[in-house]
Amino acid sequence: MKVLKIMTLILMLLFGVKVLSQQKATLEKSIFGIQTGFLGFWVNNESRLLSNLSLKSELGVDAGLFGGSSNDKIGSVVVPVLTLEPRYYYNIQKRAVNNKVTANNSANFIALNLKYQSDVFVISNKNVDVISTISIIPKWGIRRNLGNNFHYETGFGVGYRHFLEKINSEKGEVAVDLHVRIGYNF
């Protein structure tokens, strides 16, 4: 009889752990944070829409480097950017079932990056004209935690960038988005 009670207790504990891990398999309700990468700094908020779908909104500055002939020095430019990015975290349930960390939306995702890059202000070490653009880039990415509040994120995608002013005869171009960022969640 004593063995039966112990077995029942063990099964209840195991079942309870399984239920708790399944409850944590949903995205965080809202995450506010900052991120930095090789070329920029951003403030963002990611809000849950469904159990595995979120909307990341972001305001920041993108930086870039450019150069010309061999006697010119390399130029740099910093411009403001506003981004909306719906994200579908496709493996958050699997991570939870395998007892992997899912806190702070730590999972793989596919997203549709919608970005407005403005010419409201430009910071540059050369006289440069910046043209406002809107880009739409589907991409794949991952987000993982580094401790409780820090995280890293990387993603890649190819899409289209539309110029809001006409450049010669071009109205747009193919755009590539490759990001590697480290961030802090508040």
Side-chain angles (χ1 to χ4, degrees):
M1 190 66 157
K2 194 174 188 179
V3 172
L4 183 60
K5 287 183 182 180
I6 292 172
M7 293 288 282
T8 304
L9 181 62
I10 290 172
L11 285 174
M12 287 175 57
L13 286 173
L14 289 174
F15 181 74
V17 168
K18 179 83 170 172
V19 167
L20 286 175
S21 69
Q22 288 177 347
Q23 289 175 350
K24 290 190 169 215
T26 185
L27 298 176
E28 301 286 339
K29 187 174 181 179
S30 179
I31 300 172
F32 178 75
I34 57 172
Q35 291 182 323
T36 188
F38 177 61
L39 296 172
F41 179 81
W42 307 271
V43 176
N44 59 59
N45 179 271
E46 188 170 354
S47 300
R48 179 181 65 210
L49 301 175
L50 298 172
S51 64
N52 56 358
L53 184 68
S54 71
L55 179 65
K56 182 177 181 183
S57 53
E58 185 172 76
L59 180 63
V61 291
D62 282 352
L65 300 172
F66 59 91
S69 62
S70 61
N71 61 355
D72 286 340
K73 67 178 187 173
I74 293 178
S76 62
V77 64
V78 176
V79 295
V81 63
L82 174 66
T83 305
L84 290 176
E85 187 176 83
R87 290 181 168 188
Y88 174 70
Y89 288 89
Y90 61 87
N91 76 332
I92 196 158
Q93 295 287 352
K94 182 179 176 184
R95 287 181 60 80
V97 167
N98 292 332
N99 293 322
K100 294 184 178 179
V101 176
T102 60
N104 294 321
N105 300 347
S106 182
N108 299 4
F109 61 87
I110 53 175
L112 184 62
N113 184 279
L114 308 167
K115 183 185 291 188
Y116 170 64
Q117 192 171 20
S118 176
D119 62 354
V120 171
F121 71 88
V122 177
I123 301 169
S124 181
N125 63 347
K126 293 199 170 210
N127 188 14
V128 61
D129 290 329
V130 174
I131 296 173
S132 296
T133 62
I134 294 177
S135 59
I136 300 172
I137 304 174
K139 66 181 185 179
W140 171 88
I142 63 170
R143 180 181 173 108
R144 296 292 187 270
N145 289 331
L146 299 169
N148 291 332
N149 291 11
F150 287 95
H151 66 274
Y152 70 90
E153 190 175 290
T154 184
F156 175 77
V158 177
Y160 180 74
R161 177 181 302 129
H162 177 75
F163 302 125
L164 296 179
E165 298 173 23
K166 195 172 182 181
I167 302 175
N168 299 330
S169 63
E170 295 184 31
K171 295 180 181 177
E173 65 185 6
V174 173
V176 175
D177 184 348
L178 172 63
H179 77 267
V180 177
R181 298 180 179 180
I182 189 164
Y184 183 82
N185 301 323
F186 295 99

